[in-house]
């Protein structure tokens, strides 16, 4: 015997679903409510959106002033992204390191880098906060601070040197390894020490603490 009530309920459910699908564009923008520690870089990885695309979509927001509660537009995503999904999302950028010390080759993300030597250093991190930058949010050469900038002791690592940074842990940095350039100096950065610039608030960056990292000086 046909259950007419069940058929009616099923038809109503299908109609409602169809209306919802039509109501939410497949490529609509969504809004992310920032939490402490968020950066455009981490959000680009979290939502799978190009970094430049994300920055352009939020041209009225300073890269160096992302704070908890700030509303950030995520372009090209649906409006149905839940807060729980956003909170539980993980950065997908990882690097699988493979070091060949005999041939001075290190592989990361499937790319091969030639290096001249490796250096063990103590690493700290700094933000663009005015209290941490005597000459503003720029590096030693006057260029805007950006991810991939590190401060060094030029007597140990000459300015302009490119390095592969490994062994660090912080949500504002690519996991396992990233390429950086020695573009900055600091009064406290002497000897085998580096200071890594991380986009974000001073408070979120301070969680980096002091870490032992290994640098591969790239050729």
């Amino acid at each position: 015997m046909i259950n007419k009530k069940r058929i009616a309920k099923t038809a109503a459910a299908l109609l409602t679903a169809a209306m919802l699908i039509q109501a939410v564009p497949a490529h609509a923008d969504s809004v992310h409510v920032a939490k402490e520690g968020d950066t455009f870089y981490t959000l680009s990885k979290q939502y799978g959106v190009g970094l430049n695309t994300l920055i352009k979509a939020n041209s009225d927001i300073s890269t160096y002033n992302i704070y908890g509660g700030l509303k950030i537009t995520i372009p090209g995503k649906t409006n149905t992204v839940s807060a729980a999904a956003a909170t539980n999302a993980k950065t997908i950028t990882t690097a699988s390191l493979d070091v060949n010390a005999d041939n001075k080759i290190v592989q990361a993300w499937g790319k091969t880098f030639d290096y001249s030597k490796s250096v063990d250093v103590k690493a700290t991190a700094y933000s663009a906060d005015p209290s941490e930058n005597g000459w503003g949010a720029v590096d030693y050469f006057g260029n805007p601070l950006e991810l991939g900038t590190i401060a060094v002791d030029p007597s140990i690592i000459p300015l302009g040197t490119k390095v592969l940074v490994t062994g660090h842990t912080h949500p504002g940095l690519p996991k396992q390894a990233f390429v950086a350039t020695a573009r900055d100096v600091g009064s406290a950065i002497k000897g085998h020490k580096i200071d890594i610039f991380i986009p974000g608030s001073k408070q979120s960056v301070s969680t980096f603490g002091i870490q032992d990292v290994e640098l591969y000086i790239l050729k």
Side-chain angles (χ1 to χ4, degrees):
M1 182 177 181
I2 298 175
N3 190 324
K4 294 182 178 180
K5 289 185 178 180
R6 181 176 295 176
I7 293 175
K9 288 182 179 180
T10 300
L14 291 173
L15 179 61
T16 300
M19 292 174 66
L20 287 173
I21 292 172
Q22 292 178 352
V24 181
H27 299 289
D29 292 346
S30 66
V31 175
H32 172 89
V33 179
K35 60 183 181 298
E36 190 65 33
D38 279 347
T39 68
F40 280 135
Y41 175 81
T42 58
L43 292 177
S44 72
K45 298 303 178 185
Q46 178 175 316
Y47 289 100
V49 177
L51 179 58
N52 290 335
T53 301
L54 182 60
I55 292 174
K56 287 180 180 179
N58 297 275
S59 57
D60 58 330
I61 298 175
S62 169
T63 305
Y64 312 114
N65 190 33
I66 296 178
Y67 51 86
L70 183 67
K71 293 182 178 180
I72 299 175
T73 299
I74 308 298
K77 296 295 176 182
T78 67
N79 287 319
T80 58
V81 177
S82 68
T87 301
N88 294 329
K90 297 180 179 179
T91 301
I92 59 173
T93 300
T94 61
S96 178
L97 295 177
D98 185 8
V99 180
N100 185 324
D102 292 334
N103 295 323
K104 296 293 180 64
I105 292 174
V106 58
Q107 292 183 323
W109 324 287
K111 295 182 179 180
T112 300
F113 300 90
D114 294 321
Y115 70 94
S116 58
K117 64 179 180 178
S118 62
V119 182
D120 293 322
V121 298
K122 294 285 185 183
T124 52
Y126 66 112
S127 70
D129 190 278
S131 66
E132 297 186 283
N133 300 277
W135 45 69
V138 295
D139 62 24
Y140 179 77
F141 299 100
N143 301 310
L145 292 172
E146 60 183 6
L147 187 67
T149 297
I150 59 172
V152 299
D153 180 345
S155 68
I156 303 297
I157 302 173
L159 287 170
T161 301
K162 285 189 177 295
V163 302
L164 186 69
V165 183
T166 70
H168 58 278
T169 301
H170 192 276
L173 293 173
K175 291 183 178 180
Q176 296 188 22
F178 67 97
V179 175
T181 305
R183 296 193 184 110
D184 213 352
V185 297
S187 58
I189 308 304
K190 301 298 181 184
H192 285 70
K193 295 181 180 180
I194 66 168
D195 209 9
I196 301 171
F197 172 72
I198 301 178
S201 69
K202 180 180 178 180
Q203 181 180 353
S204 67
V205 173
S206 68
T207 62
F208 183 92
I210 301 175
Q211 299 183 24
D212 293 312
V213 303
E214 186 171 13
L215 308 180
Y216 292 89
I217 310 299
L218 301 180
K219 293 181 179 180

